[in-house]
Amino acid sequence: MKKLPDKTVERLSQYRRALLDYLSGGKQHIFSHEIANLLHITAVQVRRDLMLIGYTGTLRQGYDVKELIEIIGKIIDTRDGQKVAVVGIGNLGRAIMGYFSGKRTRLSIVAAFDVNPEKTGKIYAGVPCYNLDEMEDIIRREGISIAVISVPGEEAVKVAEALVLTGIRGILNFSPKPLNVPPHVYLQEYDMITMLEKIAYFVKKN
Amino acid sequence: MKKLPDKTVERLSQYRRALLDYLSGGKQHIFSHEIANLLHITAVQVRRDLMLIGYTGTLRQGYDVKELIEIIGKIIDTRDGQKVAVVGIGNLGRAIMGYFSGKRTRLSIVAAFDVNPEKTGKIYAGVPCYNLDEMEDIIRREGISIAVISVPGEEAVKVAEALVLTGIRGILNFSPKPLNVPPHVYLQEYDMITMLEKIAYFVKKN
């Protein structure tokens, strides 16, 4: 199957998240406009995305929630799951690890890295924290494919370079520093200030 | 001026962030394809966004970096800045406050809220932490327009309802629970797992 567009994958993950929540309310079917409402997008967008993955509901009942959750899983999950490392165990790194524990996802955080000797050797949310020196060895040995960068901005470039050398395939950058990585590494930037500036624009009165 | 599309505003904020970084390297002009490279998007997208805000560079030199930073600021910033509150002072709340301190932005975090009596009354990254009971009073008194929700999922719905009653105008939801708010409140959801699932999809081998 050809790779889906970036934004479609993002929405599929969001659909699944919303559907799991909806299912826990006891309902078994859902219409595209209801999914759309849950996510604040248009029903046309929902139908277009689900058509792309070859799923159509019935006119009368809409989509079967469980079936749709399963189909999305088949598309976006890897059969054996994927391993994730978190680099930088400050408040943000710890928040990320806490966020994950107990979540239904095929991704698992298996290693954390930091330079602070008070943190290395400890366990955070069930995940061992290693020294940054050991990163290449552990990422290769564990078969970790994705890394989350949660170090301060001034260290992010160096950390990203080191990660690329380990053979990592995807990076989520939470540091405020924009990064450059080779094209074979999938980079997702996340800057909190951008999100807040966007909100600020839409709420300002002038 | 008509409101710009959601995604354009997001990119304008990212352009400014990248341009400030670029400027610190000493260069004064930049071409659309260079901005595009910094952000991993197409040059056509950059030119389209800048056309929307009425800015055109010169064929020979490209865009004037300082001028462009200033123009973006005029569009997305409010003259007097906007005030932000953070609700939930766990690791994530503290990470958000740390992230902000010292950043060039017209947004300022002026209050934090938590239910834990060990946290209320304290100062985090220069920001006072109040009890959740005081939220309505303080948000009104301070004229806070934007709130960041960083409480656990099971508390997020209640917090969002309380925030809507305070007259808040924008919410950034970092909790794993999708929220529903009235249409006059601008809601931005952010789920870390969605971002990681997207990366996982693009790095998987099959």
Side-chain angles (χ1 to χ4, degrees), chain B residues 131-164:
Chain B
N131 190 287
L132 213 57
D133 292 345
E134 303 172 78
M135 195 161 72
E136 186 161 356
D137 282 354
I138 287 161
I139 285 181
R140 287 181 191 276
R141 194 178 72 207
E142 293 274 350
I144 293 167
S145 54
I146 298 168
V148 177
I149 298 183
S150 47
V151 297
E154 59 275 20
E155 292 164 37
V157 171
K158 219 175 50 193
V159 164
E161 283 168 359
L163 280 169
V164 168

PDB file of all heavy atoms in Angstrom, chain B residues 131-164:
ATOM      1  N   ASN B 131      -4.865  28.041  44.098  1.00  0.00           N
ATOM      2  CA  ASN B 131      -5.792  26.921  44.172  1.00  0.00           C
ATOM      3  C   ASN B 131      -6.820  27.032  43.036  1.00  0.00           C
ATOM      4  O   ASN B 131      -7.216  28.128  42.651  1.00  0.00           O
ATOM      5  CB  ASN B 131      -6.515  26.924  45.525  1.00  0.00           C
ATOM      6  CG  ASN B 131      -7.287  25.630  45.717  1.00  0.00           C
ATOM      7  OD1 ASN B 131      -8.320  25.418  45.085  1.00  0.00           O
ATOM      8  ND2 ASN B 131      -6.771  24.759  46.564  1.00  0.00           N
ATOM      9  N   LEU B 132      -7.261  25.895  42.555  1.00  0.00           N
ATOM     10  CA  LEU B 132      -8.230  25.846  41.462  1.00  0.00           C
ATOM     11  C   LEU B 132      -9.510  26.633  41.790  1.00  0.00           C
ATOM     12  O   LEU B 132     -10.147  27.202  40.903  1.00  0.00           O
ATOM     13  CB  LEU B 132      -8.575  24.378  41.164  1.00  0.00           C
ATOM     14  CG  LEU B 132      -8.882  24.018  39.713  1.00  0.00           C
ATOM     15  CD1 LEU B 132      -7.746  24.394  38.788  1.00  0.00           C
ATOM     16  CD2 LEU B 132      -9.161  22.514  39.590  1.00  0.00           C
ATOM     17  N   ASP B 133      -9.872  26.690  43.065  1.00  0.00           N
ATOM     18  CA  ASP B 133     -11.052  27.455  43.510  1.00  0.00           C
ATOM     19  C   ASP B 133     -10.983  28.928  43.125  1.00  0.00           C
ATOM     20  O   ASP B 133     -12.005  29.587  42.966  1.00  0.00           O
ATOM     21  CB  ASP B 133     -11.136  27.457  45.059  1.00  0.00           C
ATOM     22  CG  ASP B 133     -11.444  26.087  45.597  1.00  0.00           C
ATOM     23  OD1 ASP B 133     -11.861  25.220  44.808  1.00  0.00           O
ATOM     24  OD2 ASP B 133     -11.250  25.875  46.815  1.00  0.00           O
ATOM     25  N   GLU B 134      -9.773  29.439  43.036  1.00  0.00           N
ATOM     26  CA  GLU B 134      -9.611  30.882  42.791  1.00  0.00           C
ATOM     27  C   GLU B 134      -9.550  31.204  41.307  1.00  0.00           C
ATOM     28  O   GLU B 134      -9.369  32.357  40.919  1.00  0.00           O
ATOM     29  CB  GLU B 134      -8.311  31.374  43.448  1.00  0.00           C
ATOM     30  CG  GLU B 134      -8.232  31.109  44.947  1.00  0.00           C
ATOM     31  CD  GLU B 134      -6.837  31.436  45.477  1.00  0.00           C
ATOM     32  OE1 GLU B 134      -6.546  32.627  45.668  1.00  0.00           O
ATOM     33  OE2 GLU B 134      -6.040  30.492  45.675  1.00  0.00           O
ATOM     34  N   MET B 135      -9.677  30.153  40.475  1.00  0.00           N
ATOM     35  CA  MET B 135      -9.418  30.325  39.047  1.00  0.00           C
ATOM     36  C   MET B 135     -10.271  31.421  38.412  1.00  0.00           C
ATOM     37  O   MET B 135      -9.754  32.295  37.717  1.00  0.00           O
ATOM     38  CB  MET B 135      -9.625  28.993  38.324  1.00  0.00           C
ATOM     39  CG  MET B 135      -9.038  28.994  36.940  1.00  0.00           C
ATOM     40  SD  MET B 135      -8.802  27.307  36.324  1.00  0.00           S
ATOM     41  CE  MET B 135     -10.484  26.806  36.004  1.00  0.00           C
ATOM     42  N   GLU B 136     -11.579  31.383  38.645  1.00  0.00           N
ATOM     43  CA  GLU B 136     -12.459  32.348  37.987  1.00  0.00           C
ATOM     44  C   GLU B 136     -12.081  33.779  38.357  1.00  0.00           C
ATOM     45  O   GLU B 136     -11.910  34.638  37.487  1.00  0.00           O
ATOM     46  CB  GLU B 136     -13.927  32.064  38.327  1.00  0.00           C
ATOM     47  CG  GLU B 136     -14.860  32.963  37.528  1.00  0.00           C
ATOM     48  CD  GLU B 136     -16.292  32.447  37.471  1.00  0.00           C
ATOM     49  OE1 GLU B 136     -16.554  31.333  37.991  1.00  0.00           O
ATOM     50  OE2 GLU B 136     -17.131  33.162  36.889  1.00  0.00           O
ATOM     51  N   ASP B 137     -11.921  34.024  39.666  1.00  0.00           N
ATOM     52  CA  ASP B 137     -11.543  35.361  40.141  1.00  0.00           C
ATOM     53  C   ASP B 137     -10.267  35.864  39.475  1.00  0.00           C
ATOM     54  O   ASP B 137     -10.202  36.989  38.981  1.00  0.00           O
ATOM     55  CB  ASP B 137     -11.260  35.320  41.658  1.00  0.00           C
ATOM     56  CG  ASP B 137     -12.562  35.310  42.448  1.00  0.00           C
ATOM     57  OD1 ASP B 137     -13.627  35.454  41.812  1.00  0.00           O
ATOM     58  OD2 ASP B 137     -12.495  35.131  43.680  1.00  0.00           O
ATOM     59  N   ILE B 138      -9.248  34.998  39.488  1.00  0.00           N
ATOM     60  CA  ILE B 138      -7.942  35.457  39.017  1.00  0.00           C
ATOM     61  C   ILE B 138      -7.913  35.637  37.507  1.00  0.00           C
ATOM     62  O   ILE B 138      -7.343  36.608  37.004  1.00  0.00           O
ATOM     63  CB  ILE B 138      -6.833  34.516  39.542  1.00  0.00           C
ATOM     64  CG1 ILE B 138      -6.675  34.804  41.040  1.00  0.00           C
ATOM     65  CG2 ILE B 138      -5.512  34.731  38.807  1.00  0.00           C
ATOM     66  CD1 ILE B 138      -6.002  33.724  41.807  1.00  0.00           C
ATOM     67  N   ILE B 139      -8.562  34.747  36.787  1.00  0.00           N
ATOM     68  CA  ILE B 139      -8.589  34.883  35.332  1.00  0.00           C
ATOM     69  C   ILE B 139      -9.292  36.179  34.925  1.00  0.00           C
ATOM     70  O   ILE B 139      -8.832  36.913  34.046  1.00  0.00           O
ATOM     71  CB  ILE B 139      -9.228  33.636  34.683  1.00  0.00           C
ATOM     72  CG1 ILE B 139      -8.210  32.483  34.731  1.00  0.00           C
ATOM     73  CG2 ILE B 139      -9.692  33.921  33.257  1.00  0.00           C
ATOM     74  CD1 ILE B 139      -8.671  31.190  34.110  1.00  0.00           C
ATOM     75  N   ARG B 140     -10.381  36.499  35.610  1.00  0.00           N
ATOM     76  CA  ARG B 140     -11.086  37.745  35.303  1.00  0.00           C
ATOM     77  C   ARG B 140     -10.267  38.974  35.706  1.00  0.00           C
ATOM     78  O   ARG B 140     -10.130  39.927  34.961  1.00  0.00           O
ATOM     79  CB  ARG B 140     -12.440  37.779  36.010  1.00  0.00           C
ATOM     80  CG  ARG B 140     -13.440  36.819  35.366  1.00  0.00           C
ATOM     81  CD  ARG B 140     -14.794  36.878  36.074  1.00  0.00           C
ATOM     82  NE  ARG B 140     -15.653  35.793  35.646  1.00  0.00           N
ATOM     83  CZ  ARG B 140     -16.401  35.827  34.544  1.00  0.00           C
ATOM     84  NH1 ARG B 140     -16.419  36.900  33.777  1.00  0.00           N
ATOM     85  NH2 ARG B 140     -17.152  34.788  34.207  1.00  0.00           N
ATOM     86  N   ARG B 141      -9.730  38.913  36.919  1.00  0.00           N
ATOM     87  CA  ARG B 141      -8.992  40.071  37.448  1.00  0.00           C
ATOM     88  C   ARG B 141      -7.756  40.384  36.603  1.00  0.00           C
ATOM     89  O   ARG B 141      -7.459  41.525  36.290  1.00  0.00           O
ATOM     90  CB  ARG B 141      -8.575  39.769  38.885  1.00  0.00           C
ATOM     91  CG  ARG B 141      -8.107  40.988  39.642  1.00  0.00           C
ATOM     92  CD  ARG B 141      -7.746  40.612  41.078  1.00  0.00           C
ATOM     93  NE  ARG B 141      -6.496  39.850  41.110  1.00  0.00           N
ATOM     94  CZ  ARG B 141      -6.197  38.963  42.075  1.00  0.00           C
ATOM     95  NH1 ARG B 141      -7.050  38.699  43.054  1.00  0.00           N
ATOM     96  NH2 ARG B 141      -5.038  38.333  42.045  1.00  0.00           N
ATOM     97  N   GLU B 142      -7.049  39.317  36.197  1.00  0.00           N
ATOM     98  CA  GLU B 142      -5.808  39.512  35.433  1.00  0.00           C
ATOM     99  C   GLU B 142      -6.073  39.724  33.947  1.00  0.00           C
ATOM    100  O   GLU B 142      -5.170  40.070  33.194  1.00  0.00           O
ATOM    101  CB  GLU B 142      -4.899  38.285  35.607  1.00  0.00           C
ATOM    102  CG  GLU B 142      -4.363  38.100  37.017  1.00  0.00           C
ATOM    103  CD  GLU B 142      -3.086  38.894  37.242  1.00  0.00           C
ATOM    104  OE1 GLU B 142      -2.520  39.425  36.277  1.00  0.00           O
ATOM    105  OE2 GLU B 142      -2.658  38.978  38.411  1.00  0.00           O
ATOM    106  N   GLY B 143      -7.302  39.460  33.506  1.00  0.00           N
ATOM    107  CA  GLY B 143      -7.590  39.552  32.066  1.00  0.00           C
ATOM    108  C   GLY B 143      -6.855  38.484  31.273  1.00  0.00           C
ATOM    109  O   GLY B 143      -6.321  38.745  30.191  1.00  0.00           O
ATOM    110  N   ILE B 144      -6.819  37.279  31.804  1.00  0.00           N
ATOM    111  CA  ILE B 144      -6.157  36.161  31.120  1.00  0.00           C
ATOM    112  C   ILE B 144      -7.064  35.658  29.999  1.00  0.00           C
ATOM    113  O   ILE B 144      -8.250  35.418  30.216  1.00  0.00           O
ATOM    114  CB  ILE B 144      -5.856  35.026  32.136  1.00  0.00           C
ATOM    115  CG1 ILE B 144      -4.797  35.497  33.145  1.00  0.00           C
ATOM    116  CG2 ILE B 144      -5.433  33.740  31.427  1.00  0.00           C
ATOM    117  CD1 ILE B 144      -4.636  34.597  34.362  1.00  0.00           C
ATOM    118  N   SER B 145      -6.517  35.518  28.788  1.00  0.00           N
ATOM    119  CA  SER B 145      -7.375  35.111  27.669  1.00  0.00           C
ATOM    120  C   SER B 145      -7.155  33.667  27.218  1.00  0.00           C
ATOM    121  O   SER B 145      -7.989  33.096  26.527  1.00  0.00           O
ATOM    122  CB  SER B 145      -7.179  36.066  26.484  1.00  0.00           C
ATOM    123  OG  SER B 145      -5.811  36.161  26.149  1.00  0.00           O
ATOM    124  N   ILE B 146      -6.006  33.078  27.581  1.00  0.00           N
ATOM    125  CA  ILE B 146      -5.670  31.741  27.096  1.00  0.00           C
ATOM    126  C   ILE B 146      -5.284  30.834  28.270  1.00  0.00           C
ATOM    127  O   ILE B 146      -4.554  31.261  29.163  1.00  0.00           O
ATOM    128  CB  ILE B 146      -4.490  31.809  26.107  1.00  0.00           C
ATOM    129  CG1 ILE B 146      -4.873  32.657  24.886  1.00  0.00           C
ATOM    130  CG2 ILE B 146      -4.046  30.408  25.664  1.00  0.00           C
ATOM    131  CD1 ILE B 146      -3.703  33.014  23.990  1.00  0.00           C
ATOM    132  N   ALA B 147      -5.756  29.575  28.246  1.00  0.00           N
ATOM    133  CA  ALA B 147      -5.377  28.622  29.291  1.00  0.00           C
ATOM    134  C   ALA B 147      -4.784  27.372  28.672  1.00  0.00           C
ATOM    135  O   ALA B 147      -5.228  26.912  27.619  1.00  0.00           O
ATOM    136  CB  ALA B 147      -6.590  28.252  30.133  1.00  0.00           C
ATOM    137  N   VAL B 148      -3.770  26.847  29.347  1.00  0.00           N
ATOM    138  CA  VAL B 148      -3.163  25.576  28.956  1.00  0.00           C
ATOM    139  C   VAL B 148      -3.630  24.529  29.962  1.00  0.00           C
ATOM    140  O   VAL B 148      -3.463  24.726  31.165  1.00  0.00           O
ATOM    141  CB  VAL B 148      -1.627  25.665  28.990  1.00  0.00           C
ATOM    142  CG1 VAL B 148      -1.004  24.324  28.642  1.00  0.00           C
ATOM    143  CG2 VAL B 148      -1.132  26.761  28.057  1.00  0.00           C
ATOM    144  N   ILE B 149      -4.230  23.449  29.480  1.00  0.00           N
ATOM    145  CA  ILE B 149      -4.677  22.383  30.381  1.00  0.00           C
ATOM    146  C   ILE B 149      -3.620  21.292  30.418  1.00  0.00           C
ATOM    147  O   ILE B 149      -3.346  20.641  29.411  1.00  0.00           O
ATOM    148  CB  ILE B 149      -6.033  21.797  29.933  1.00  0.00           C
ATOM    149  CG1 ILE B 149      -7.113  22.894  29.974  1.00  0.00           C
ATOM    150  CG2 ILE B 149      -6.431  20.615  30.828  1.00  0.00           C
ATOM    151  CD1 ILE B 149      -8.511  22.396  29.611  1.00  0.00           C
ATOM    152  N   SER B 150      -3.009  21.104  31.588  1.00  0.00           N
ATOM    153  CA  SER B 150      -1.993  20.054  31.733  1.00  0.00           C
ATOM    154  C   SER B 150      -2.300  19.199  32.962  1.00  0.00           C
ATOM    155  O   SER B 150      -1.399  18.833  33.708  1.00  0.00           O
ATOM    156  CB  SER B 150      -0.592  20.669  31.784  1.00  0.00           C
ATOM    157  OG  SER B 150      -0.542  21.772  32.681  1.00  0.00           O
ATOM    158  N   VAL B 151      -3.590  18.926  33.160  1.00  0.00           N
ATOM    159  CA  VAL B 151      -4.019  18.042  34.261  1.00  0.00           C
ATOM    160  C   VAL B 151      -4.156  16.618  33.709  1.00  0.00           C
ATOM    161  O   VAL B 151      -4.181  16.427  32.495  1.00  0.00           O
ATOM    162  CB  VAL B 151      -5.379  18.506  34.855  1.00  0.00           C
ATOM    163  CG1 VAL B 151      -5.252  19.897  35.461  1.00  0.00           C
ATOM    164  CG2 VAL B 151      -6.485  18.472  33.810  1.00  0.00           C
ATOM    165  N   PRO B 152      -4.271  15.603  34.571  1.00  0.00           N
ATOM    166  CA  PRO B 152      -4.514  14.250  34.067  1.00  0.00           C
ATOM    167  C   PRO B 152      -5.846  14.168  33.300  1.00  0.00           C
ATOM    168  O   PRO B 152      -6.764  14.963  33.560  1.00  0.00           O
ATOM    169  CB  PRO B 152      -4.597  13.411  35.353  1.00  0.00           C
ATOM    170  CG  PRO B 152      -3.875  14.206  36.389  1.00  0.00           C
ATOM    171  CD  PRO B 152      -4.120  15.637  36.037  1.00  0.00           C
ATOM    172  N   GLY B 153      -5.939  13.213  32.379  1.00  0.00           N
ATOM    173  CA  GLY B 153      -7.121  13.049  31.525  1.00  0.00           C
ATOM    174  C   GLY B 153      -8.445  13.060  32.280  1.00  0.00           C
ATOM    175  O   GLY B 153      -9.393  13.720  31.851  1.00  0.00           O
ATOM    176  N   GLU B 154      -8.497  12.377  33.412  1.00  0.00           N
ATOM    177  CA  GLU B 154      -9.781  12.256  34.110  1.00  0.00           C
ATOM    178  C   GLU B 154     -10.271  13.581  34.710  1.00  0.00           C
ATOM    179  O   GLU B 154     -11.445  13.720  35.035  1.00  0.00           O
ATOM    180  CB  GLU B 154      -9.735  11.145  35.176  1.00  0.00           C
ATOM    181  CG  GLU B 154      -8.693  11.296  36.261  1.00  0.00           C
ATOM    182  CD  GLU B 154      -7.318  10.734  35.855  1.00  0.00           C
ATOM    183  OE1 GLU B 154      -7.061  10.574  34.639  1.00  0.00           O
ATOM    184  OE2 GLU B 154      -6.505  10.459  36.759  1.00  0.00           O
ATOM    185  N   GLU B 155      -9.393  14.562  34.833  1.00  0.00           N
ATOM    186  CA  GLU B 155      -9.816  15.855  35.389  1.00  0.00           C
ATOM    187  C   GLU B 155     -10.036  16.913  34.314  1.00  0.00           C
ATOM    188  O   GLU B 155     -10.552  18.001  34.589  1.00  0.00           O
ATOM    189  CB  GLU B 155      -8.758  16.378  36.369  1.00  0.00           C
ATOM    190  CG  GLU B 155      -8.652  15.548  37.627  1.00  0.00           C
ATOM    191  CD  GLU B 155      -7.371  15.837  38.388  1.00  0.00           C
ATOM    192  OE1 GLU B 155      -6.936  17.007  38.413  1.00  0.00           O
ATOM    193  OE2 GLU B 155      -6.790  14.884  38.941  1.00  0.00           O
ATOM    194  N   ALA B 156      -9.642  16.579  33.073  1.00  0.00           N
ATOM    195  CA  ALA B 156      -9.602  17.605  32.024  1.00  0.00           C
ATOM    196  C   ALA B 156     -10.983  18.169  31.678  1.00  0.00           C
ATOM    197  O   ALA B 156     -11.137  19.378  31.481  1.00  0.00           O
ATOM    198  CB  ALA B 156      -8.936  17.039  30.773  1.00  0.00           C
ATOM    199  N   VAL B 157     -12.011  17.303  31.636  1.00  0.00           N
ATOM    200  CA  VAL B 157     -13.343  17.773  31.244  1.00  0.00           C
ATOM    201  C   VAL B 157     -13.864  18.796  32.255  1.00  0.00           C
ATOM    202  O   VAL B 157     -14.356  19.871  31.879  1.00  0.00           O
ATOM    203  CB  VAL B 157     -14.318  16.581  31.100  1.00  0.00           C
ATOM    204  CG1 VAL B 157     -15.747  17.079  30.905  1.00  0.00           C
ATOM    205  CG2 VAL B 157     -13.896  15.691  29.933  1.00  0.00           C
ATOM    206  N   LYS B 158     -13.715  18.479  33.536  1.00  0.00           N
ATOM    207  CA  LYS B 158     -14.173  19.372  34.601  1.00  0.00           C
ATOM    208  C   LYS B 158     -13.418  20.710  34.545  1.00  0.00           C
ATOM    209  O   LYS B 158     -14.011  21.782  34.665  1.00  0.00           O
ATOM    210  CB  LYS B 158     -13.920  18.691  35.954  1.00  0.00           C
ATOM    211  CG  LYS B 158     -14.992  18.892  36.984  1.00  0.00           C
ATOM    212  CD  LYS B 158     -14.687  18.073  38.244  1.00  0.00           C
ATOM    213  CE  LYS B 158     -13.251  18.304  38.724  1.00  0.00           C
ATOM    214  NZ  LYS B 158     -12.806  17.322  39.738  1.00  0.00           N
ATOM    215  N   VAL B 159     -12.122  20.636  34.332  1.00  0.00           N
ATOM    216  CA  VAL B 159     -11.313  21.855  34.251  1.00  0.00           C
ATOM    217  C   VAL B 159     -11.736  22.703  33.051  1.00  0.00           C
ATOM    218  O   VAL B 159     -11.875  23.921  33.151  1.00  0.00           O
ATOM    219  CB  VAL B 159      -9.801  21.504  34.184  1.00  0.00           C
ATOM    220  CG1 VAL B 159      -8.974  22.693  33.717  1.00  0.00           C
ATOM    221  CG2 VAL B 159      -9.311  21.031  35.551  1.00  0.00           C
ATOM    222  N   ALA B 160     -11.977  22.059  31.921  1.00  0.00           N
ATOM    223  CA  ALA B 160     -12.376  22.801  30.725  1.00  0.00           C
ATOM    224  C   ALA B 160     -13.714  23.500  30.951  1.00  0.00           C
ATOM    225  O   ALA B 160     -13.901  24.661  30.569  1.00  0.00           O
ATOM    226  CB  ALA B 160     -12.462  21.871  29.514  1.00  0.00           C
ATOM    227  N   GLU B 161     -14.662  22.813  31.588  1.00  0.00           N
ATOM    228  CA  GLU B 161     -15.965  23.430  31.881  1.00  0.00           C
ATOM    229  C   GLU B 161     -15.799  24.647  32.781  1.00  0.00           C
ATOM    230  O   GLU B 161     -16.389  25.698  32.538  1.00  0.00           O
ATOM    231  CB  GLU B 161     -16.894  22.406  32.553  1.00  0.00           C
ATOM    232  CG  GLU B 161     -17.475  21.410  31.553  1.00  0.00           C
ATOM    233  CD  GLU B 161     -18.153  20.205  32.226  1.00  0.00           C
ATOM    234  OE1 GLU B 161     -18.147  20.129  33.479  1.00  0.00           O
ATOM    235  OE2 GLU B 161     -18.664  19.347  31.488  1.00  0.00           O
ATOM    236  N   ALA B 162     -14.964  24.505  33.802  1.00  0.00           N
ATOM    237  CA  ALA B 162     -14.722  25.626  34.709  1.00  0.00           C
ATOM    238  C   ALA B 162     -14.062  26.795  33.959  1.00  0.00           C
ATOM    239  O   ALA B 162     -14.411  27.954  34.168  1.00  0.00           O
ATOM    240  CB  ALA B 162     -13.854  25.183  35.882  1.00  0.00           C
ATOM    241  N   LEU B 163     -13.148  26.468  33.056  1.00  0.00           N
ATOM    242  CA  LEU B 163     -12.461  27.518  32.295  1.00  0.00           C
ATOM    243  C   LEU B 163     -13.443  28.279  31.399  1.00  0.00           C
ATOM    244  O   LEU B 163     -13.377  29.503  31.296  1.00  0.00           O
ATOM    245  CB  LEU B 163     -11.343  26.919  31.439  1.00  0.00           C
ATOM    246  CG  LEU B 163     -10.041  26.616  32.178  1.00  0.00           C
ATOM    247  CD1 LEU B 163      -9.119  25.787  31.311  1.00  0.00           C
ATOM    248  CD2 LEU B 163      -9.344  27.921  32.602  1.00  0.00           C
ATOM    249  N   VAL B 164     -14.334  27.549  30.751  1.00  0.00           N
ATOM    250  CA  VAL B 164     -15.308  28.195  29.867  1.00  0.00           C
ATOM    251  C   VAL B 164     -16.137  29.208  30.675  1.00  0.00           C
ATOM    252  O   VAL B 164     -16.397  30.320  30.213  1.00  0.00           O
ATOM    253  CB  VAL B 164     -16.212  27.139  29.181  1.00  0.00           C
ATOM    254  CG1 VAL B 164     -17.406  27.796  28.496  1.00  0.00           C
ATOM    255  CG2 VAL B 164     -15.391  26.338  28.163  1.00  0.00           C
TER     256      VAL B 164
END
